[in-house]
Amino acid sequence: QVQLVESGGGLVQPGGSVRLSCTASGFTIGNYEMSWVRQAPGKELEWVSTIGFAGGGPEYAEFVKGRFSTSRDDGQNTVWLQMNSLKPDDTAMYYCARSGRTFATATPNRGQGTQVTVSS
């Protein structure tokens, strides 16, 4: 059974940082691309980033380039999203997904999410 559990969200001030974690069980992430997606209040789910497997590099949505970075540790079966220079527009529920970029917002293999609220 595929299970993804996100953690690390919370309330952060504009300009601040937060690091999200996603721990997988029921499968080995080493065989999969892993993505982060987010959903802001009243908006659709949108793709944020994807990290490849077997040495595949990360890719990012334009609106997070230079501010967010994603990494993975296959031995820990965990993926991270480091979020810096946060803006109020980054306020959203963040989910990790077992998917590449194309199907990241459609896959059912997604966690329950962790809320990030950027506010002063």
Side-chain angles (χ1 to χ4, degrees), residues 13-16 63 67-68 84-91 118-119:
Q13 291 189 339
F63 54 80
R67 301 189 299 123
F68 291 11
N84 300 327
S85 302
L86 283 162
K87 306 174 182 179
D89 284 350
D90 295 317
T91 295
V118 184
S119 175

Side-chain angles (χ1 to χ4, degrees), residues 16 18 31 33 44 59 62 74 81 110 113:
V18 69
N31 298 324
E33 293 180 287
E44 294 186 350
E59 52 180 333
E62 283 296 325
D74 293 349
L81 182 67
R110 196 165 64 229

